[in-house]
Amino acid sequence: MGRAPCCDKANVKRGPWSPDEDETLKRYVETHGTGGNWIALPQKAGLRRCGKSCRLRWLNYLRPDIKHGGFTEEEDSIIYNLYGEMGSRWSFIASQLPGRTDNDVKNYWNTKLKKKLLGSSGKSNLTTTITNPTYNNNSLPCLPINPDAYDLAFSDSSQLTQNPTMLSSLNNIGYGLTQAYGLDPSLQHSSMIMSDFGSKSSSHSAENSSNISDSSAAYFASSLPGNTETGIMMDFGFGFSYDIGFAYDDDIDIKPQGVVNQSVINQYQ
DNA sequence: AACCACTCCAACCGCGCGATC
DNA sequence: TGATCGCGCGGTTGGAGTGGT
């Protein structure tokens, strides 16, 4: 048996919202709030709409703090950064962009940014090529993420704190979003990535990193026996660099363990 | 002018999760 | 402890708009 519908679809209006409906919903929410119950709201407000539809309309369009219009380059870079870090977590990505909604960001990514990325990836500066055929580099920069890795990554910061240079680098971040990926040396592969997007103060002095753009990048790879890691540094030409490194044996095993926004930590703990 | 292909984005859908009973 | 409910999320769809032929 399937899930019960959230509303009686036969008795609710669907499709585009009329200006009158918008006005009714806006006036009601501004006057009474949502009451914490979107399902009951349309009836109280006198709308023949599904509660979910009302919620969506309010959140994506009617809210007073919504920012409409084109995305800035800075917003582009934040989206790239976060998408590479955590994939299609649109709600979180949107939360880092004041006035933007998850739907906006998602649409923008699917219609513009993805194409922009693919279009320019052909001229990106690849300093190292993918050698393992099991990895699909067409999906870059959407790194595969093992959700189970988050717990370890955020609960154990000892590796981070034992590395003053890395810590220093992570503290000097532009957006508060610079990340480091640590991979388990016990699995005979390890690497560390430090990348910054837009930050002018990041310091990666521990290694002579390959500077592929104004944005510095460092890629560390261990020389453990049997190590099969491959690293990439990329500059997609958006006014910022997108630096990617990863290591793997059979399974991609990427664990963010940098200093990140507390809300990210809360989300994955 | 008509048709077609493509883009963009608002809206819908179904699912997972947490809260509550 | 399991069932139910509502919220929030990501994926998908459909239609309006636009550009090319």
Side-chain angles (χ1 to χ4, degrees):
Chain A
M1 197 173 85
R3 183 187 181 85
C6 65
C7 56
D8 181 3
K9 287 183 170 35
N11 290 318
V12 297
K13 189 182 168 200
R14 298 169 67 187
W17 282 64
S18 70
D20 281 351
E21 288 176 311
D22 280 349
E23 184 56 35
T24 302
L25 177 60
K26 195 174 178 190
R27 203 176 328 115
Y28 183 87
V29 173
E30 284 174 351
T31 308
H32 303 93
T34 65
N37 188 344
W38 282 106
I39 301 298
L41 188 144
Q43 196 174 11
K44 291 179 187 172
L47 286 163
R48 284 186 55 239
R49 287 278 182 175
C50 174
K52 288 177 79 167
S53 180
C54 292
R55 175 184 162 271
L56 205 66
R57 185 65 177 170
W58 172 257
L59 292 178
N60 287 340
Y61 198 82
L62 296 175
R63 263 192 306 163
D65 57 338
I66 290 291
K67 194 194 292 181
H68 297 289
F71 283 68
T72 66
E73 270 202 7
E74 188 184 0
E75 286 175 317
D76 284 4
S77 69
I78 292 172
I79 294 170
Y80 273 111
N81 187 11
L82 291 175
Y83 189 85
E85 187 175 344
M86 52 207 339
S88 56
R89 309 262 179 189
W90 302 120
S91 59
F92 174 75
I93 295 173
S95 74
Q96 304 305 305
L97 301 168
R100 302 296 187 185
T101 69
D102 55 348
N103 211 34
D104 257 353
V105 174
K106 180 173 57 181
N107 282 333
Y108 184 58
W109 172 265
N110 285 331
T111 59
K112 303 262 186 68
L113 282 183
K114 198 159 65 176
K115 289 171 189 170
K116 197 173 170 184
L117 174 63
L118 290 173
S120 58
S121 61
K123 55 185 177 182
S124 62
N125 299 332
L126 287 176
T127 56
T128 309
T129 56
I130 301 284
T131 55
N132 187 325
T134 62
Y135 190 84
N136 173 17
N137 65 350
N138 289 331
S139 68
L140 291 171
C142 177
L143 297 175
I145 290 171
N146 171 10
D148 295 334
Y150 283 102
D151 289 335
L152 170 65
F154 287 121
S155 63
D156 179 11
S157 60
S158 59
Q159 288 181 32
L160 180 66
T161 53
Q162 284 165 13
N163 186 331
T165 303
M166 183 173 167
L167 189 60
S168 158
S169 297
L170 291 166
N171 282 336
N172 288 318
I173 53 180
Y175 299 122
L177 294 166
T178 298
Q179 73 269 27
Y181 296 126
L183 293 110
D184 188 352
S186 67
L187 298 175
Q188 295 293 290
H189 61 226
S190 66
S191 72
M192 180 170 68
I193 307 159
M194 289 195 279
S195 56
D196 72 273
F197 303 85
S199 167
K200 293 177 179 171
S201 59
S202 283
S203 165
H204 303 303
S205 57
E207 294 281 339
N208 293 323
S209 66
S210 300
N211 291 322
I212 59 175
S213 74
D214 292 343
S215 186
S216 58
Y219 174 76
F220 301 81
S222 78
S223 56
L224 291 169
N227 194 343
T228 57
E229 78 279 288
T230 304
I232 300 175
M233 292 183 184
M234 302 182 81
D235 181 350
F236 290 110
F238 300 107
F240 62 96
S241 64
Y242 200 104
D243 309 328
I244 298 168
F246 53 88
Y248 50 84
D249 282 324
D250 294 322
D251 301 319
I252 303 289
D253 181 22
I254 295 174
K255 301 168 183 174
Q257 66 177 59
V259 176
V260 296
N261 188 311
Q262 183 64 41
S263 63
V264 181
I265 297 171
N266 293 339
Q267 188 171 352
Y268 290 98
Q269 271 179 335

